[in-house]
């Protein structure tokens, strides 16, 4: 439930930088709570998106910008910046926002190098502003309950955690084979791009410090040498498209899934846009003939300073789309699939279950995206006892583990963390 009791004198003024898929979710909170936040400026190079958001929030034209450099060169005063630019462009706008004295809600990954992460943290301390990273799992009631069960002490101490992120075929083909996050060049390794959420969640559960990490993984399947006979460079020209589990025609045209990011220009229909995309766009390409290089399978093992072991599996070849967490403890075991939790107490043989599946029909990651914004605003406005979770300082460790694990995957060597 969103806390509607929090009140304040005037709404926090916000600039939205990068108004794509993620920002639209965070701005829903602003739309629902005009008394708490007000959008006063928009930065977005895509004209259709910029205009749509400006119109919806009644942002005047002279408060709309193509680039964040232009916005930060203006004298428009805002208290907070929401930054949801593509994942290789977070550091610069974040530093500029802090320089302007803004609090920052920053999409993950916070930055791509340890030096940049440290610089953000240092700057945030210097100017005394919040930088909250959008590691949204920690704002979801089911994941919060898992944390509470561990923290209760009833089940003893953690010996091991086995956690699986099922990225799933559709998401993989859309985002990491055909889409913008398909390449490490200029972007990020899969771990940082996708599993930083999981590493953040696991560190939060464990509270121990990770002392070493090892990882294996590769791009095993979505490679040109695996293209079946009869396939073509585009699904619309492919003889075996109807039998292919990765067909773009099936995903976008017939099932109408993963289409929310296809903008529809004025005078065009969704069908026009999909036809064009399938014929000419990146999302119409055969999965064996994309310029992708990110892994399609990866395992990470973390050794913690209390001796416990945490293992993360990133799985693609599944129709599941979600996370399972299996926690083995000295006095019991806790299992969660993100919808249900089962906690078993060894001595009493008591088994408790908790149900969250109804949240799955809630948009915005079961409401977690909205809670994240709320908590950020609470912290910015000095309201409530709770500070923003998922701070830049916690994110530094998460990012370090992701980067070191990927180094281990490449080198085949275990990496020690200091
Ligand atoms: N927290 C989560 O659960 C979650 C989920 C998905 C994506 N993400 C992250 O959110 C970020 C954005 O992803 P998305 O899915 O919204 O992508 P998107 O492509 O839908 O949106 C990004 C927007 O930024 C705009 N943009 C590009 N360059 C810009 C610039 N210089 N200044 C301002 N705007 C610019 C693009 O035109 C686009 O509209 C990425 O870092 C991604 O990894 C987070």
């Amino acid at each position: 439930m969103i806390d509607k009791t929090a009140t304040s004198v005037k709404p926090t003024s916000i600039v939205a930088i990068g108004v794509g898929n993620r920002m639209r979710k965070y701005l829903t909170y602003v739309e629902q709570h005009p008394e708490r936040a007000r959008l006063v400026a928009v930065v977005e190079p895509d004209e259709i998106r910029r205009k749509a958001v400006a119109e919806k929030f009644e942002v005047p034209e002279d408060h709309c910008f193509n680039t964040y450099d232009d916005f930060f060169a203006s004298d428009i005063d805002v208290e907070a910046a929401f930054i949801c630019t593509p994942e290789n462009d977070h550091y610069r706008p974040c530093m500029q926002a802090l320089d302007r004295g803004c609090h920052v809600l920053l999409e993950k990954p916070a930055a791509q190098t340890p030096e940049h992460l440290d610089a953000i943290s240092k700057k945030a301390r210097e100017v005394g502003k919040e930088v909250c990273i959008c590691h949204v799992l920690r704002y979801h009631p089911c994941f919060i309950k898992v944390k509470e069960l561990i923290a209760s002490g009833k089940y003893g101490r953690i010996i091991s955690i086995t956690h699986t992120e099922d990225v799933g075929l559709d998401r993989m083909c859309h985002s990491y084979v055909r889409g913008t996050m398909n390449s490490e060049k200029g972007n990020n390794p899969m771990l940082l791009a996708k599993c930083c959420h999981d590493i953040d969640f696991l560190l939060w559960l464990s509270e121990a410090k990770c002392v070493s990490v090892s990882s294996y993984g590769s791009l095993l399947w979505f490679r040109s040498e695996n293209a079946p006979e009869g396939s073509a460079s585009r699904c619309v020209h492919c003889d075996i498209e109807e039998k292919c589990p990765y067909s773009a025609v099936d995903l976008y045209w017939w099932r109408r899934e993963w289409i929310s990011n296809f903008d529809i220009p004025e005078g065009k229909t969704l069908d026009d846009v999909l036809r064009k995309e399938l014929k000419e766009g990146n999302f119409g390409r055969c999965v064996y003939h994309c310029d992708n290089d990110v892994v399609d399978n990866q395992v990470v093992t973390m050794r913690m300073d209390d001796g416990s072991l945490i293992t993360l599996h990133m799985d693609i070849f599944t129709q599941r789309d979600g996370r399972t967490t299996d926690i083995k403890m000295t006095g019991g075991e806790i299992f969660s699939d993100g919808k249900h939790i089962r906690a078993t107490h060894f001595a009493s043989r008591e088994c408790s279950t908790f149900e969250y599946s109804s949240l799955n029909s809630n948009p915005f990651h079961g409401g977690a995206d909205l809670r994240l914004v709320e908590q950020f605003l609470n912290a910015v406005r000095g309201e409530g006892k709770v500070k923003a979770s998922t701070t830049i300082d916690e994110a530094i460790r998460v990012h370090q583990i992701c980067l070191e694990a990927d180094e281990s995957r490449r080198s085949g060597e275990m990496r020690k963390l200091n």
Side-chain angles (χ1 to χ4, degrees):
M1 276 289 283
I2 297 296
D3 174 13
K4 295 192 176 179
T5 58
T7 56
S8 169
V9 186
K10 67 177 180 60
T12 301
S13 53
I14 287 166
V15 55
I17 303 178
V19 293
N21 158 47
R22 291 306 298 163
M23 183 67 85
R24 283 197 286 265
K25 299 193 159 75
Y26 301 136
L27 289 182
T28 300
Y29 181 92
V30 178
E31 194 186 354
Q32 290 172 351
H33 297 272
E35 76 291 356
R36 304 205 68 219
R38 191 164 65 90
L39 186 66
V40 300
V42 180
V43 184
E44 168 59 56
D46 183 297
E47 195 182 348
I48 297 178
R49 294 181 180 184
R50 191 176 61 245
K51 279 190 171 162
V53 170
E55 208 167 287
K56 186 169 189 179
F57 289 88
E58 297 178 352
V59 177
E61 217 177 306
D62 59 353
H63 282 47
C64 295
F65 299 85
N66 277 323
T67 72
Y68 52 79
D69 290 329
D70 290 342
F71 167 75
F72 289 117
S74 80
D75 57 7
I76 297 169
D77 206 18
V78 292
E79 292 160 278
F82 287 10
I83 300 177
C84 298
T85 40
E87 56 175 82
N88 56 2
D89 195 3
H90 291 173
Y91 172 70
R92 277 191 70 239
C94 180
M95 291 297 273
Q96 291 190 50
L98 288 170
D99 274 331
R100 278 287 293 270
C102 298
H103 298 281
V104 180
L105 184 77
L106 182 61
E107 255 308 346
K108 58 80 191 165
Q112 294 170 290
T113 64
E115 293 74 24
H116 282 175
L117 288 157
D118 285 342
I120 293 176
S121 164
K122 188 163 168 257
K123 176 72 72 183
R125 270 199 306 278
E126 257 168 44
V127 299
K129 299 293 169 186
E130 295 280 341
V131 177
C132 176
I133 311 304
C134 300
H135 286 146
V136 293
L137 294 185
R138 280 207 234 170
Y139 301 87
H140 189 289
C142 184
F143 294 91
I144 292 171
K145 185 68 189 177
V146 173
K147 169 73 178 166
E148 283 172 4
L149 287 167
I150 293 173
S152 72
K154 177 174 174 180
Y155 302 94
R157 56 171 278 204
I158 295 172
I159 298 296
S160 69
I161 306 179
T162 306
H163 177 89
T164 301
E165 159 144 42
D166 286 319
V167 174
L169 273 182
D170 289 348
R171 183 191 296 273
M172 179 71 188
C173 292
H174 176 79
S175 300
Y176 301 100
V177 179
R178 296 186 176 104
T180 50
M181 292 185 278
N182 72 349
S183 170
E184 292 184 11
K185 290 176 220 107
N187 278 308
N188 295 300
M190 187 71 165
L191 271 186
L192 197 55
K194 189 76 187 100
C195 301
C196 55
H197 289 297
D198 303 273
I199 301 286
D200 175 69
F201 173 57
L202 293 165
L203 293 185
W204 183 55
L205 290 188
S206 156
E207 289 185 8
K209 189 176 167 200
C210 175
V211 289
S212 63
V213 64
S214 60
S215 178
Y216 294 94
S218 63
L219 175 60
L220 200 58
W221 185 241
F222 295 114
R223 313 166 67 97
S224 54
E225 61 265 35
N226 293 325
E229 229 177 283
S231 61
S233 61
R234 290 194 165 271
C235 297
V236 284
H237 301 137
C238 176
D239 290 342
I240 56 167
E241 176 274 317
E242 284 183 21
K243 288 191 196 131
C244 176
Y246 320 121
S247 161
V249 177
D250 180 50
L251 179 63
Y252 303 119
W253 184 261
W254 295 117
R255 284 195 274 143
R256 302 271 152 159
E257 291 181 28
W258 293 93
I259 55 173
S260 66
N261 241 26
F262 295 143
D263 295 317
I264 306 171
E266 232 172 282
K268 299 281 181 196
T269 64
L270 175 62
D271 281 6
D272 296 334
V273 170
L274 292 182
R275 262 193 216 100
K276 188 168 188 307
E277 190 62 43
L278 290 171
K279 267 169 68 182
E280 301 166 16
N282 283 347
F283 293 98
R285 293 179 294 174
C286 168
V287 287
Y288 301 104
H289 298 295
C290 294
D291 48 359
N292 56 310
D293 61 17
V294 298
V295 298
D296 56 21
N297 67 94
Q298 190 161 6
V299 180
V300 177
T301 300
M302 293 185 270
R303 195 166 64 82
M304 312 304 282
D305 66 354
D306 62 0
S308 62
L309 291 177
I310 300 180
T311 311
L312 162 70
H313 292 247
M314 194 277 298
D315 284 340
I316 302 302
F317 295 90
T318 169
Q319 284 188 330
R320 291 194 301 263
D321 173 5
R323 294 169 163 99
T324 57
T325 314
D326 205 351
I327 305 151
K328 308 295 190 203
M329 302 178 69
T330 51
E333 56 187 318
I334 300 169
F335 176 81
S336 161
D337 64 1
K339 303 180 200 84
H340 318 88
I341 301 171
R342 194 179 58 244
T344 309
H345 186 246
F346 293 149
S348 65
R349 298 190 179 270
E350 175 194 280
C351 180
S352 314
T353 55
F354 306 88
E355 172 71 36
Y356 295 90
S357 51
S358 63
L359 287 182
N360 273 19
S361 54
N362 284 9
F364 316 115
H365 289 129
D369 296 343
L370 306 184
R371 270 179 225 104
L372 163 81
V373 178
E374 176 172 83
Q375 220 181 83
F376 171 71
L377 288 173
N378 284 349
V380 164
R381 293 151 66 94
E383 288 169 352
K385 301 262 183 292
V386 194
K387 293 285 286 173
S389 310
T390 58
T391 62
I392 180 68
D393 288 334
E394 291 170 293
I396 287 178
R397 194 67 175 171
V398 174
H399 287 58
Q400 187 191 15
I401 291 170
C402 291
L403 294 170
E404 289 293 343
D406 218 60
E407 195 48 48
S408 164
R409 179 182 73 80
R410 288 163 199 282
S411 66
E413 285 170 12
M414 182 261 280
R415 305 283 298 179
K416 285 194 171 156
L417 280 85
N418 46 35

